[in-house]
């Protein structure tokens, strides 16, 4: 769908399955917002526009609804498990709020409180059953929803089922779940149907002996290795049992050797675990949801001192590549993903990859690495070491309130600019909002840099001056500009190396002498305590 980034374009847009206009002069019901966004996602994505009338000729009336749209956006993402962004427009003093909703995952309808919504023209209705069936057919046959011939309820583990019940009750708040008998509980989550026990039920709740009989490939193997040397692992545990019976145990094993990395910078103290629990759990959940159960082989979770590798049989699901992995969701095992989604384990329609990227950036670690992935296996490496403790100060400077409103793309922009990497074209749409928030500065037509205040808090103000000043004619002017910006606090000599990193110490001294000879700068102090000032 094309941009529609101006008020004029919005006024001319056709209301229907991709655009919904609401006056919402003073308020708008949050649950109706969720249902509308749900329907837009199921119809391929679209925009919910508040503050413009729906009837033509459209009028801009302005809306006071959702005075903290960042929080509403985050709530919608948690509710729908699809990406939602927002844009604010001011037209002659009238506020227009637009929620931009991404399309549903391939093969999986979006739901609100168990109900999938749909737009038929501009009418909001429950999704028709024939539409739902067509969506499920997009990814072909779902192996996990097939009935396992010969399996019965006695093949399922009571502990795993009760662990699921507790999590579903916590997520939904529906007290009825607490009193359901086992069979009804499993029927309500569609792990069991009138035809029998599904493979999803075995993968999530199966007993060890039953999995050995019906689904021996449904196994997770944990290994701890202190080095990359070949040979037996220092610790190895095999889990051929329903996922809900071993999920917490696998994390406990990893957490036994989960060192904290301690950093202190002035008043700020950071204790960063080598292995972030949410990132690790998401990686394992992805393996369970998306592995190919028709292939032999187990899911391997290999822990090393500073990294974790999760390997699962089967390449990426159909339609998913490294280029679109943050935007395209296509669960290979829909029934498993839906059951995990009921109890809140699966983020954003079974993907969770967005969360893994965001948390890695917030902890100044490498992004998840898929090196070694091919058509037969998905291999994801989570690197646990903090790469640059200064970036922790930058994240802290941005603040939790603003971070809570960030999309994955916002985080990736900050990561790329901080490490001076080129921006992927798909990320450039995030620059306008980040500039409005004062996090990014627009310095020329296609050139952006993080705000100087963010560089200053990391002690890298010279980097900001260098990037902004690359178009100046001489290196002396760059140095002079940087010293001038530092004002009364002065500039230490070592900071000039950040302005001109390709220059040696002697080359910098030559430039400083020339500026001093022209009586443009002077120095106070000696050796490492010396500071340069502009006259």
């Amino acid at each position: 769908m094309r941009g529609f980034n101006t008020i004029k374009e919005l006024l001319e847009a056709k209301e229907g399955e991709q655009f919904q206009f609401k006056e919402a002069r003073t308020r708008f019901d949050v649950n109706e917002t969720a249902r509308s966004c749900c329907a837009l996602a199921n119809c391929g994505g679209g925009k919910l526009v508040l503050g413009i009338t729906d009837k033509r000729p459209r009028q801009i009336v302005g809306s006071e609804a959702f005075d903290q749209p960042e929080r509403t956006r985050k709530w919608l993402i948690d509710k729908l498990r699809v990406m939602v962004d927002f844009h604010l427009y001011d037209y002659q003093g009238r506020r227009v709020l637009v929620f931009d909703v991404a399309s549903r995952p391939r093969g999986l309808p979006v739901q609100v409180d168990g109900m999938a919504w749909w737009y038929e023209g501009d009418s909001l209705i429950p999704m028709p059953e024939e539409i739902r069936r067509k969506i499920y057919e997009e990814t072909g046959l779902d192996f996990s929803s097939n009935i396992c011939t010969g399996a019965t309820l006695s093949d399922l583990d009571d502990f795993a089922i009760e662990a699921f019940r507790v999590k579903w009750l916590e997520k939904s708040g529906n007290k009825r779940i607490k009193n359901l008998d086992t069979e009804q509980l499993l029927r309500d989550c569609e792990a069991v149907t009138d035809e029998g026990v599904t493979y999803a039920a075995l993968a999530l709740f199966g007993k060890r002996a039953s999995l050995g009989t019906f689904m021996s490939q449904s196994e997770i193997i944990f290994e701890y290795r202190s080095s990359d040397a070949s040979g037996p692992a220092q610790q190895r545990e095999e889990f051929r049992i329903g996922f809900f019976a071993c999920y917490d145990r696998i994390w406990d094993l990893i957490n036994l050797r989960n060192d904290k990395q301690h950093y202190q910078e002035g008043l700020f103290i950071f204790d960063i675990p080598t292995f972030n629990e949410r990132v690790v759990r998401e990686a394992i959940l992805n393996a369970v949801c998306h592995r190919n159960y028709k292939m032999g082989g187990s899911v391997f979770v290999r822990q090393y001192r500073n990294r974790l590798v999760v390997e699962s049989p089967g390449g990426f699901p159909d339609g998913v590549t490294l280029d679109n992995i943050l935007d395209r969701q296509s669960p290979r095992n829909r029934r498993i993903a839906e059951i995990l989604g009921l109890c809140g384990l699966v983020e954003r329609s079974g993907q969770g990859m967005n969360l893994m990227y965001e948390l890695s950036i917030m902890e100044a670690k490498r992004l998840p690495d898929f090196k070694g992935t091919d058509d037969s296996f998905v291999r994801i490496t989570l690197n646990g070491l903090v790469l640059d403790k200064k970036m922790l100060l930058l994240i802290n400077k941005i603040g939790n309130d603003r971070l809570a409103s960030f999309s994955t793309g916002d985080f990736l922009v900050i990561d790329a600019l901080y490490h001076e990497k080129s921006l992927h074209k798909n990320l450039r749409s995030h620059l306008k909002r980040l500039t409005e928030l004062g996090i990014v500065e627009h310095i020329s037509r296609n050139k952006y840099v993080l705000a100087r205040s963010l560089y200053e808090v990391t002690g890298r103000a010279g980097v900001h001056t260098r990037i902004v000043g690359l178009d100046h004619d001489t290196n002396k002017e760059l140095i002079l500009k940087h010293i001038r910006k530092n004002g009364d606090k002065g500039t230490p000599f070592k900071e000039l190396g950040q302005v001109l990193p390709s220059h040696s110490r002697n080359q910098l001294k030559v430039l400083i002498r020339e500026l001093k000879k022209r009586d443009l700068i002077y120095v106070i102090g000696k050796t490492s305590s010396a500071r340069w000032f502009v006259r």
Side-chain angles (χ1 to χ4, degrees), residues 459-501:
R460 301 173 73 232
V463 175
H464 179 274
T465 299
R466 169 173 56 82
I467 296 173
V468 172
L470 284 177
D471 295 328
H472 288 253
D473 294 332
T474 68
N475 292 325
K476 285 188 292 186
E477 289 175 3
L478 280 176
I479 290 177
L480 188 62
K481 180 179 179 181
H482 180 66
I483 296 174
R484 183 180 293 115
K485 282 192 173 183
N486 278 344
D488 293 338
K489 68 180 182 180
T491 302
F493 182 82
K494 67 177 182 179
E495 198 169 277
L496 300 179
Q498 298 172 0
V499 180
L500 298 171

Side-chain angles (χ1 to χ4, degrees), residues 384-395:
L385 288 180
V386 173
L387 287 179
D388 186 347
K389 66 178 182 180
K390 298 291 187 182
M391 191 170 181
L392 297 174
L393 294 171
L394 182 148
I395 295 295

Side-chain angles (χ1 to χ4, degrees), residues 218-463:
S218 183
E219 179 181 56
I220 300 175
I221 297 176
F222 169 82
E223 291 183 348
Y224 174 75
R225 295 177 176 271
S226 58
S227 71
D228 291 329
S230 59
Q234 278 70 38
Q235 183 177 4
R236 177 184 171 104
E237 287 198 27
E238 300 177 1
F239 299 95
R240 186 181 291 172
I241 192 170
F243 182 65
F244 277 97
C246 65
Y247 179 50
D248 288 329
R249 171 61 181 165
I250 295 170
W251 166 248
D252 289 341
L253 288 171
I254 294 168
N255 202 33
L256 283 174
R257 303 177 180 90
N258 191 11
D259 296 333
K260 286 190 176 180
Q261 301 168 65
H262 179 82
Y263 300 100
Q264 182 167 357
E265 191 77 25
L267 298 176
F268 297 106
I269 298 175
F270 303 97
D271 285 309
I272 307 296
T274 299
F275 302 109
N276 182 292
E277 181 176 359
R278 294 192 70 185
V279 173
V280 169
R281 287 185 182 269
E282 282 296 336
I284 297 172
L285 283 164
N286 268 279
V288 172
C289 280
H290 301 301
R291 68 152 292 173
N292 189 337
Y293 285 96
K294 295 179 182 179
M295 294 178 63
S298 307
V299 171
F300 277 88
V301 180
R302 295 188 176 98
Q303 182 183 8
Y304 299 84
R305 184 177 179 184
N306 296 319
R307 73 182 192 278
L308 189 81
V309 180
V310 180
E311 189 175 274
S312 55
F316 286 133
D318 186 34
V320 176
T321 67
L322 283 176
D323 291 332
N324 66 17
I325 196 168
L326 294 176
D327 306 309
R328 181 73 59 84
Q329 293 129 22
S330 180
R332 179 177 275 128
N333 302 289
R334 289 193 305 271
R335 188 64 54 86
I336 289 177
E338 288 172 346
I339 294 172
L340 292 172
L342 288 174
C343 54
L345 290 183
V346 171
E347 292 282 343
R348 300 179 192 174
S349 300
Q351 189 78 0
M353 200 58 63
N354 304 71
L355 181 68
M356 295 166 65
Y357 273 69
E358 292 169 13
L359 290 174
S360 296
I361 293 171
M362 289 179 69
E363 293 184 342
K365 297 175 181 176
R366 293 185 189 276
L367 297 178
D369 184 0
F370 287 91
K371 184 178 180 180
T373 293
D374 56 28
D375 291 339
S376 299
F377 287 91
V378 171
R379 190 174 194 265
I380 181 171
T381 300
L382 306 175
N383 291 286
L385 288 180
V386 173
L387 287 179
D388 186 347
K389 66 178 182 180
K390 298 291 187 182
M391 191 170 181
L392 297 174
L393 294 171
L394 182 148
I395 295 295
N396 186 72
K397 175 72 174 178
I398 293 173
N400 290 333
D401 288 343
R402 287 195 290 183
L403 289 173
S405 71
F406 277 16
S407 66
T408 308
D410 295 335
F411 280 103
L412 289 171
V413 167
I414 290 170
D415 184 68
L417 292 179
Y418 180 80
H419 292 106
E420 299 184 53
K421 300 176 184 175
S422 59
L423 275 181
H424 191 280
K425 62 181 181 180
N426 293 340
L427 295 176
R428 302 195 72 84
S429 61
H430 297 266
L431 290 167
K432 180 180 178 182
R433 177 168 172 267
L434 290 173
T435 302
E436 292 171 349
L437 289 173
I439 292 169
V440 167
E441 295 176 7
H442 187 189
I443 56 178
S444 64
R445 183 177 179 183
N446 291 311
K447 192 173 178 182
Y448 292 81
V449 65
L450 291 177
R452 183 176 179 84
S453 61
L454 296 180
Y455 281 108
E456 286 178 341
V457 77
T458 65
R460 301 173 73 232
V463 175

Side-chain angles (χ1 to χ4, degrees), residues 17-18 35-46 82 101-105 108-112 115-119 125 127 131 135 138:
E17 296 166 357
Q18 267 71 52
R35 290 191 291 270
S36 296
C37 290
C38 173
L40 288 169
N42 284 326
C43 291
V82 295
V101 186
S103 177
R104 61 173 174 77
L108 200 65
V110 173
Q111 301 183 48
V112 174
M115 175 68 73
W117 294 89
W118 181 258
Y119 273 116
I125 62 172
M127 179 180 285
I131 299 294
I135 291 174
E138 289 175 349

